[in-house]
Amino acid sequence: MKAILHAEQITKVYHTKNARHEALRPTTLTIHDAEFVSIMGPSGAGKSTLLNLLSTIDQPTDGTIHINGEDVTGMKEKQLARFRREQLGFIFQDFNLLDTMTVEENIALPLALQHMPKADILVRVTSVARELGIEDLLAKRPSELSGGQKQRTAAARAIVHQPSLILADEPTGALDSKSATGLLEAMVGLNEQGATILMVTHDPVTASYAERVLFVKDGELFREIHQFGTRKEFFEQIMEVQRELGGAVRELV
């Protein structure tokens, strides 16, 4: 199976005047084509640091990161900006939609930045909006949408340019349980169609929609589990590790 992302012995160290903080210890991991992987861990464990490095938002102190065969750690900022536009899709907790644009224009933004012809943009936007159940919202503005509709719009924007990797940072954090379930089921559907997804979450229910969960503790990978059997059984596996980590316990409903 093709490796979409491979990080080799990456670290992140922050220096202050009087101290040295090792936010991420040497870490190696691989995400394969069409995988849905979740990263979990207690607050301050290093999961956000890891996501920032893997998403090219931050640079590792040491180590290398290859995405779709390209060494992103060796790129200059201009190269990185172009690489993000073309190869990566982002779904944030706070949606990051532009209120002055319609849903259609928000989704189309990555394609417009690539100077795709307008007719082709319309076809692509309509297709992904249909996949995510928001085709009837294309003329609306973000202020007219519910939280779940905003997050589906953000997800559509993340996939419209067919990126190599979708990175989701607490995508259900601002949603009610019904909207969160709808978004996660939509993400599973995208994954089944071939999308590669890496998601950071603190919520075991959200993580149970992934195929594989990586647990981070004290700045390093602590454990990895794979989904076997039902989602409820996988949720119980996640909860077992959560208990070891001292995380909060909740029920799957």
Side-chain angles (χ1 to χ4, degrees), residues 130-145:
R130 187 181 302 120
E131 285 178 37
L132 288 164
I134 54 172
E135 189 177 6
D136 59 337
L137 304 176
L138 290 175
K140 294 184 179 293
R141 295 189 185 274
S143 60
E144 301 174 86
L145 305 181

Side-chain angles (χ1 to χ4, degrees), residues 86-105:
E86 296 178 354
Q87 297 289 336
L88 304 180
F90 296 90
I91 306 174
F92 301 98
Q93 179 177 337
D94 58 358
F95 318 128
N96 281 13
L97 300 176
L98 298 174
D99 291 331
T100 56
M101 292 183 171
T102 64
V103 168
E104 179 180 340
E105 290 166 340

Side-chain angles (χ1 to χ4, degrees), residues 32-47:
H32 293 101
D33 187 31
E35 267 200 300
F36 187 170
V37 178
S38 182
I39 297 174
M40 295 191 73
S43 179
K47 59 185 185 295

Side-chain angles (χ1 to χ4, degrees), residues 31-66:
I31 309 296
H32 293 101
D33 187 31
E35 267 200 300
F36 187 170
V37 178
S38 182
I39 297 174
M40 295 191 73
S43 179
K47 59 185 185 295
S48 293
T49 298
L50 179 57
L51 182 68
N52 287 342
L53 297 178
L54 298 179
S55 64
T56 76
I57 291 172
D58 198 1
Q59 287 288 313
T61 304
D62 286 302
T64 59
I65 300 170
H66 286 79

Side-chain angles (χ1 to χ4, degrees), residues 142-161:
S143 60
E144 301 174 86
L145 305 181
S146 69
Q149 291 168 337
K150 287 179 182 178
Q151 197 58 295
R152 283 173 179 257
T153 300
R157 182 186 57 192
I159 68 168
V160 72
H161 58 301

